[in-house]
């Protein structure tokens, strides 16, 4: 019997593998030693086949007993509160961890994901480049002064921030050594490597079923 | 002696008045009956004059005793946990409130703010229009079934969602009666009206000092 259940898609094409956001929940569970089962909704008709569970038709969502949570950020926060590994107990450190979790999503990802979307739409030079650039400069300044964001150790804030920066393709925006080293440090963690390998294996196994 | 301190800018031009995000914290305090003082950082040199308190050079940030929190979402979460008015105590309702807080910021605002930015950059028809449209359709479907997002009553989830939708200029994207009625319902609340009036008065008072 697993502690929690992580819901994701049954299959995705090659491109998004290693980036589907169940990775954030897997990573959090691996860091915190929370056991989890993985269940799936179908990739086909994914926009409408699980709106009862996720009103935007996205994955992941998390089940913990009677509690169901969509939004990967809310899921990571829920998991983090179950384990001091991810969320310090000290009130100030806890507030800092939570503020940086919101910052990862609402100050960096709010710019980096739409920038990426425009780039994918064929607009490599787009109106969001300057904004991404300035946010990445600001986070570079922060990361130049510390190894991890809060309490001199890895927390859920780093989990979200490193994942957001990993996807933002930092190097595409110029030379930011502190940020690059930070992301490298985060994804070298055994918990990330396990989570990533398991996601890749999950989708690879589905290839066989899909072509069978 | 106030319970908390909300930091914002000392002055802004007409355009952003009524929209500076200290409004979210003011609104939360008004709903929850938390007394607050307002302190300011200077509009001039705002990008760099308070990086110690807010590494992205933004406002607002919140002080509660020894705890300092930037990111308006994190600030609203902190305030909400001080009051059942904003955050139900029931575990499922609480998880739902938090998930919808993240959804407001990370599923709606992550699209609506960059869309708005492109529109302000002179690109009225831009690559993000379709994405905004589909997210607003999804939230319209949700709001067609309920008056408030969680627990049949106003919570911190509605505070953030209504503010995000208010700024997203829903009507510019087409006819979405449930969403428009929801936003109207939220901003008709005495706590919102007080918070908005106080923000407008704060910046208007600064006009006089600036021209003195």
């Amino acid at each position: 019997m697993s502690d929690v259940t992580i819901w994701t898609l049954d299959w995705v094409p090659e491109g998004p593998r290693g980036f589907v956001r169940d990775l954030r929940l897997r990573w959090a569970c691996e860091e915190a030693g929370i056991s989890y089962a993985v269940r799936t909704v179908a990739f086909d008709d994914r926009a409408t086949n699980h709106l009862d569970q996720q009103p935007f038709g996205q994955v992941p969502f998390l089940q913990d007993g009677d509690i169901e949570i969509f939004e990967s950020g809310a899921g990571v926060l829920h998991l983090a509160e179950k384990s001091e590994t991810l969320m310090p107990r000290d009130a100030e450190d806890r507030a800092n961890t939570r503020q940086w979790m919101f910052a990862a999503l609402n100050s960096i990802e709010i710019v980096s994901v739409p920038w990426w979307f425009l780039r994918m739409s064929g607009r490599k030079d787009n109106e969001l480049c300057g904004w991404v650039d300035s946010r990445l400069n600001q986070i570079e300044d922060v990361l130049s002064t510390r190894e991890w964001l809060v309490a001199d150790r890895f927390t859920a804030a780093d989990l979200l921030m490193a994942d957001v920066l990993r996807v933002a393709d930092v190097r595409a925006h110029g030379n930011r050594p502190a940020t690059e080293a930070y992301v490298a440090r985060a994804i070298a963690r055994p918990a990330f490597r396990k989570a990533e390998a398991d996601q890749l294996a999950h989708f690879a196994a589905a290839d066989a079923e899909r072509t069978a």
Side-chain angles (χ1 to χ4, degrees), chain A:
Chain A
M1 179 74 184
S2 304
D3 295 324
V4 300
T5 302
I6 297 171
W7 287 78
T8 186
L9 292 166
D10 63 347
W11 178 87
V12 297
E14 288 280 342
R17 293 184 191 185
F19 297 96
V20 181
R21 286 181 183 159
D22 64 76
L23 188 55
R24 291 177 176 176
L25 302 183
R26 290 174 184 268
W27 187 5
C29 286
E30 295 291 346
E31 293 281 357
I34 296 168
S35 69
Y36 56 98
V38 175
R39 292 185 64 186
T40 60
V41 292
F43 175 81
D44 299 326
D45 303 317
R46 67 196 173 284
T48 54
N49 67 8
H50 62 289
L51 291 175
D52 284 351
Q53 292 163 293
Q54 218 291 358
F56 304 103
Q58 300 180 289
V59 295
F61 41 96
L62 179 72
Q63 253 183 323
D64 180 5
D66 290 336
I67 292 178
E68 288 187 41
I69 300 170
F70 64 82
E71 289 290 328
S72 62
V76 170
L77 180 59
H78 179 82
L79 294 169
E81 287 179 352
K82 296 168 88 80
S83 164
E84 195 170 356
T85 307
L86 288 169
M87 177 75 75
R89 293 279 180 264
D90 172 78
E92 281 182 61
D93 288 341
R94 178 168 172 271
N96 278 331
T97 303
R98 297 182 355 155
Q99 102 191 334
W100 278 109
M101 292 176 70
F102 278 92
L105 303 178
N106 213 218
S107 281
I108 306 290
E109 192 170 46
I110 196 173
V111 194
S112 62
V113 160
W115 163 83
W116 172 89
F117 182 86
L118 292 184
R119 190 175 69 160
M120 289 299 111
S121 308
R123 303 194 60 250
K124 192 164 181 232
D125 294 316
N126 63 64
E127 294 79 1
L128 298 179
C129 290
W131 195 5
V132 175
D133 213 51
S134 92
R135 289 288 159 92
L136 290 178
N137 284 343
Q138 289 159 329
I139 198 71
E140 173 76 7
D141 287 343
V142 171
L143 294 172
S144 300
T145 67
R146 53 184 112 165
E147 193 173 3
W148 303 110
L149 290 171
V150 181
D152 296 322
R153 65 154 172 107
F154 183 88
T155 67
D158 299 301
L159 189 155
L160 287 183
M161 185 63 84
D163 190 58
V164 165
L165 292 171
R166 178 177 77 98
V167 176
D169 192 2
V170 173
R171 190 163 293 177
H173 304 276
N175 189 33
R176 292 190 175 81
T179 306
E180 286 187 41
Y182 171 77
V183 173
R185 205 152 55 228
I187 68 177
R189 295 175 68 83
F192 176 86
R193 295 167 66 93
K194 172 82 161 63
E196 185 189 41
D198 286 353
Q199 179 181 101
L200 295 174
H202 166 82
F203 292 128
D207 279 336
E209 282 184 44
R210 229 176 142 83
T211 53

